Amino acid sequence: MRNPVVARLQHPVARLRNPVVALLAALVAASAVLLGAGSAEAAGYRYWSFWDGNGKNWEYATQGPSLLRPDDGAVQGFRFAVSEDSGDAAQPRRAPDFGAICADTPAKDGQKRVALVIDPGTAANAPDGEKPPAPRTACAQVAPDASSAEALASVAKPLRYDSSAMLCAISGYPKSGCGEQVSGEDGSAKPTPSTTASGRTADEADNDSGDSGGGPSVGLLIGIGAVLLLGVAAVVQARRRR
């Protein structure tokens, strides 16, 4: 027969442990849900990103094609894809090789040559009902003071821009839309935010000031921390009452 004194001592402990374990489990589950909700909100933007070739690699351009005036011998790339921001943007899938792209275009007095890589991306990033054309290269021969947009227009018309000079379509692709936000959950498009002349969204520019955009907000993390601290305090208090 079990000692009744021992039984009386063990019973409160058992009752204590179960609520503590349940509380900790609830806290872990709540944290996972909150963090999951933050990541589920992550979204990207479907747009043509603009790149500078440095001879071997691609670098995200700091100016839009309507503002930049490339030098003779420059290589520039355009890639259509869904990206969260400039750090996440997909690069053109052709090497920035000026010699190879402009090999059949001899130099001409009073003009400059700009090698262009035009990559419409993959079917996964295409708007509903559209199929991306094949990637291609071109050697634009334009006036010395021509912008990148003018170089592009000389070999890939028609181009389409929005009111803030963001490049929306090259050679008519895509037929509609311009930098629209794409849901991180189902890939559906949402209304586009305002955009800058560099082709970056205004949300991206805001993120440069410290907001990471895709992850949980600072307020959310503080709330999770407060809940966890309350849980720890409850555990400590429960142990002291044993």
Side-chain angles (χ1 to χ4, degrees):
M1 180 177 179
R2 188 170 59 172
N3 189 319
V5 176
V6 174
R8 285 196 298 271
L9 291 175
Q10 289 179 343
H11 186 61
V13 172
R15 286 187 301 179
L16 174 64
R17 285 178 179 173
N18 288 338
V20 170
V21 171
L23 174 61
L24 291 177
L27 289 172
V28 171
S31 299
V33 170
L34 289 173
L35 288 172
S39 60
E41 293 174 359
Y45 299 91
R46 183 185 285 122
Y47 67 103
W48 280 99
S49 57
F50 180 42
W51 301 80
D52 281 324
N54 62 12
K56 293 183 179 180
N57 303 307
W58 292 108
E59 297 176 352
Y60 199 91
T62 57
Q63 290 182 292
S66 61
L67 299 178
L68 185 62
R69 299 185 184 279
D71 295 329
D72 179 66
V75 185
Q76 299 189 315
F78 298 84
R79 171 68 190 268
F80 189 77
V82 174
S83 310
E84 273 191 55
D85 50 41
S86 58
D88 175 63
Q91 298 182 5
R93 294 170 294 171
R94 296 286 189 274
D97 189 340
F98 177 84
I101 297 172
C102 289
D104 297 329
T105 306
K108 185 181 297 185
D109 290 340
Q111 290 190 314
K112 65 181 178 183
R113 291 179 298 168
V114 179
L116 301 172
V117 175
I118 304 168
D119 187 347
T122 65
N125 290 156
D128 291 343
E130 296 201 52
K131 181 180 179 181
R136 68 187 183 94
T137 61
C139 186
Q141 199 159 43
V142 290
D145 62 346
S147 67
S148 300
E150 290 171 323
L152 181 64
S154 71
V155 297
K157 288 181 178 180
L159 305 182
R160 178 166 55 87
Y161 291 88
D162 72 358
S163 59
S164 58
M166 181 176 181
L167 180 61
C168 302
I170 298 177
S171 296
Y173 179 80
K175 295 178 181 178
S176 62
C178 192
E180 64 268 21
Q181 187 176 14
V182 179
S183 170
E185 293 182 355
D186 57 10
S188 60
K190 298 180 179 180
T192 177
S194 59
T195 52
T196 65
S198 66
R200 302 175 66 210
T201 66
D203 287 351
E204 288 181 49
D206 290 342
N207 288 341
D208 289 343
S209 62
D211 183 5
S212 61
S217 67
V218 174
L220 177 61
L221 294 176
I222 292 175
I224 293 173
V227 172
L228 291 176
L229 285 176
L230 289 174
V232 172
V235 173
V236 173
Q237 186 176 9
R239 288 182 175 177
R240 288 178 177 175
R241 292 177 179 174
R242 291 184 183 181

